[in-house]
Amino acid sequence: MSPSRSAQRNVRDVVFVDGVRTPFGKAGEKGIYAGTRADDLVVKCIRELMRRNPSLPADRIDEVAIAATTQTGDQGLTIGRTAALLAGLPRTVPGFAIDRMCAGAMTAVTTTASGIGFGAYDVVIAGGVEHMGNHPMGAGADPNPRFMSERLVDPAALNMGNTAENLHDRFPAITKDRTDAYAAASQAKLAAAYSKEQIQQDLVPVATMKPGQGWALHTTDEPPRPGTTVADLAELRTPFRAHGRVTAGNAAGLNDGATAAVLASAEAAEELGLPVKMRLVSYAFAGVEPEVMGIGPVPATEKALRNAGLGIEDIGLFEINEAFAVQVLSFLDHFGIADDDSRVNRYGGAIAVGHPLASSGVRLMNQLARQFEEDHSVRYGITTMCIGLGMGATVIWENPHHADYQSFAADQATTATTEGAAA
C-alpha cells in the first residue's frame, strides 16, 4: 500500500548545534595517546557534548554515528554503538560505524543529516576517531590483487604520498617553494588562533596514564610547530620520490584524535533550546582518478555548488583539509583563489594541527562555526577534503548570524504555519 500524500514528509532543515574534539596527538609510542584507547577518546567527546548542552535530554538522541578508517580492535565492534553505551547514553539510543577514509566524520554527518532531513531522526551525534598509533594507516588491509593485475588503478594510488607527488606532476605551477610557503603559513595561522583562544573552545581535556610517567592532562594539540619557516621546510627530505616535492613539513602527519558533533532538525533545536551554529545547505561526494586523489575536492565542490544553486563567489569562508599542501593549492588554483586568500583556513589547517583521518571532518566544521560567530558578514562557507582511493567531499553551510539568514528563517516559519493551517 502506498503512503498517502498527507503521510509523506517534507525535507526539513538540518542545523549544526555543537561540536568538540580531543586535542590531536602524534601517533606512536612517544605520542600523548600511546596507551589510550580510541573508543575512550570518542567517549570523552560525547560526554562533553552532553555537558555543554544540558537542555538536550539523552533519550532524545536518535542515533550515534562514529567513523573510523581501521575498524578493528579498539576502533571496531560497531564503535558508534559501543561508544554510546560507554558514554552513558540510554540503551535505547542506537549507533553504527562508518568508513570513508579521511571523510569518515564528514560522511557520518551527511548520512545522519539526511536522516534528519527525511524525518527519521530529530537529534543525532556524529563524529569520528583515528588512533594511528594503535592502527597505522593500511594495517591489516588486503587490497585485491586485481587492482594491480588488471591495472584498475595506478600503483601510486595505494600510497597517499605518491598521489601527492603525482599532483605536482599534473600541475607544475605548484612548486615545492609554493607548498612550503603555504605550510609555513598554516603553522603561523594556527599559532595566531591559539594566541586568540579561537581553538581551545572546542577542545575536550583528556587525562592519560603512562607507566613510569604517571598521569598527564592534555589541553592543547601536540603536532603544531609554531615558528616554522620556509627555510626550515626546505631542508626536509622527500620520502616518496628522489628529488620530489612532498615532505613531512608540507603534509599532515600521522595523528591520534576524536571528534563529535550534535546535529538536529531546526524544529527540534528550537523546541529543546539548542544553539544553531550553522545550517546545512548542500553536500556532495565525487570520484576522481585514484592516483591523483588530492584533486577530489574540486568536482565535489562543483557538484555541491550546483545542488545549492550557488557559485564559488558566494562562498565567504573555506575550511579545506590539508592532507597535503599541493592538494589545497590545486583546489585554489582551479577556482582562481590566491594562496594567501584570507577566506581560506583562517585558523590554520591539518599541516599544523594534525589529521587523524576519519575524525577530521568535524574539526573543519567546528572551525567554520567559530568563524561564522566572529564574522557575521559571511553567509556561506564550505568544508571540503580529499579522500583516499580517489574521492572528494564538500559540505556547504550557512551562517545563522548573517542578516539574510534571519529573513530566510522567518520565511520558513511563515511557510510552515501556512502549510499547517492548510492541512
Side-chain angles (χ1 to χ4, degrees):
M1 180 182 296
S2 299
S4 66
R5 289 188 179 274
S6 61
Q8 295 176 355
R9 297 174 185 264
N10 294 322
V11 175
R12 302 188 301 173
D13 279 324
V14 180
V15 297
F16 184 95
V17 169
D18 199 6
V20 298
R21 68 178 178 89
T22 66
F24 288 169
K26 296 179 181 178
E29 294 182 358
K30 296 182 180 179
I32 58 176
Y33 297 132
T36 299
R37 292 180 60 96
D39 48 12
D40 284 336
L41 295 178
V42 180
V43 168
K44 292 283 187 184
C45 292
I46 294 175
R47 287 178 172 170
E48 179 65 8
L49 284 173
M50 301 307 297
R51 186 193 69 80
R52 286 169 42 147
N53 296 278
S55 68
L56 172 58
D59 61 4
R60 287 296 302 273
I61 298 170
D62 294 309
E63 189 72 272
V64 177
I66 300 297
T69 303
T70 305
Q71 295 192 9
T72 187
D74 56 340
Q75 291 182 179
L77 200 62
T78 313
I79 193 168
R81 172 62 170 169
T82 55
L85 292 170
L86 290 165
L89 297 182
R91 296 185 179 186
T92 53
V93 177
F96 66 98
I98 201 163
D99 171 29
R100 201 196 293 261
M101 294 191 173
C102 299
M106 188 171 283
T107 304
V109 166
T110 57
T111 299
T112 53
S114 297
I116 293 171
F118 179 74
Y121 309 137
D122 285 329
V123 183
V124 302
I125 291 177
V129 64
E130 209 72 51
H131 197 307
M132 300 179 76
N134 290 353
H135 308 284
M137 187 186 303
D142 181 20
N144 195 303
R146 291 181 50 236
F147 281 122
M148 297 298 108
S149 64
E150 299 180 19
R151 300 187 179 184
L152 299 177
V153 299
D154 186 282
L158 301 180
N159 182 295
M160 298 303 101
N162 288 340
T163 68
E165 289 285 7
N166 288 345
L167 265 187
H168 273 289
D169 293 341
R170 179 168 292 193
F171 302 110
I174 305 177
T175 63
K176 183 176 183 299
D177 287 344
R178 276 184 70 189
T179 59
D180 285 350
Y182 180 88
S186 181
Q187 295 280 359
K189 287 190 286 187
L190 178 68
Y194 255 108
S195 70
K196 298 174 184 176
E197 297 192 351
Q198 294 165 315
I199 301 295
Q200 295 92 322
Q201 301 173 67
D202 297 323
L203 299 183
V204 181
V206 178
T208 63
M209 171 63 170
K210 289 186 180 180
Q213 298 182 31
W215 287 94
L217 183 66
H218 308 288
T219 60
T220 60
D221 296 299
E222 185 179 23
R225 293 180 175 273
T228 296
T229 66
V230 173
D232 296 331
L233 297 175
E235 300 299 318
L236 299 178
R237 66 186 186 91
T238 57
F240 304 107
R241 183 186 296 182
H243 308 293
R245 292 139 296 192
V246 179
T247 71
N250 57 35
L254 305 179
N255 305 110
D256 308 329
T259 62
V262 174
L263 304 170
S265 69
E267 296 87 348
E270 182 176 7
E271 173 199 347
L272 297 171
L274 298 172
V276 173
K277 295 187 176 182
M278 302 190 290
R279 182 182 76 90
L280 194 153
V281 176
S282 172
Y283 70 85
F285 297 87
V288 297
E289 305 99 312
E291 59 270 22
V292 286
M293 65 96 193
I295 201 66
V298 169
T301 297
E302 292 176 333
K303 186 176 180 180
L305 288 169
R306 286 195 305 271
N307 292 345
L310 298 172
I312 197 69
E313 67 278 2
D314 295 308
I315 306 303
L317 287 167
F318 296 84
E319 276 295 320
I320 309 170
N321 192 49
E322 297 171 354
F324 300 93
V326 64
Q327 156 247 317
V328 179
L329 294 175
S330 67
F331 178 95
L332 299 181
D333 282 1
H334 178 86
F335 289 108
I337 300 170
D339 295 6
D340 60 352
D341 192 298
S342 62
R343 297 172 296 168
V344 177
N345 292 7
R346 287 184 175 178
Y347 296 173
I351 289 172
V353 77
H355 174 31
L357 303 185
S359 72
S360 288
V362 168
R363 178 190 67 80
L364 301 176
M365 296 169 194
N366 289 344
Q367 296 193 180
L368 181 61
R370 288 293 174 198
Q371 292 164 55
F372 277 168
E373 290 176 356
E374 295 172 357
D375 191 346
H376 297 185
S377 70
V378 173
R379 183 171 184 182
Y380 298 110
I382 70 170
T383 53
T384 187
M385 61 202 318
C386 63
I387 311 166
L389 296 182
M391 294 180 283
T394 297
V395 186
I396 302 176
W397 302 92
E398 185 177 15
N399 186 353
H401 306 288
H402 190 275
D404 289 339
Y405 180 89
Q406 304 302 327
S407 60
F408 166 83
D411 290 344
Q412 291 290 93
T414 301
T415 300
T417 300
T418 302
E419 291 177 351

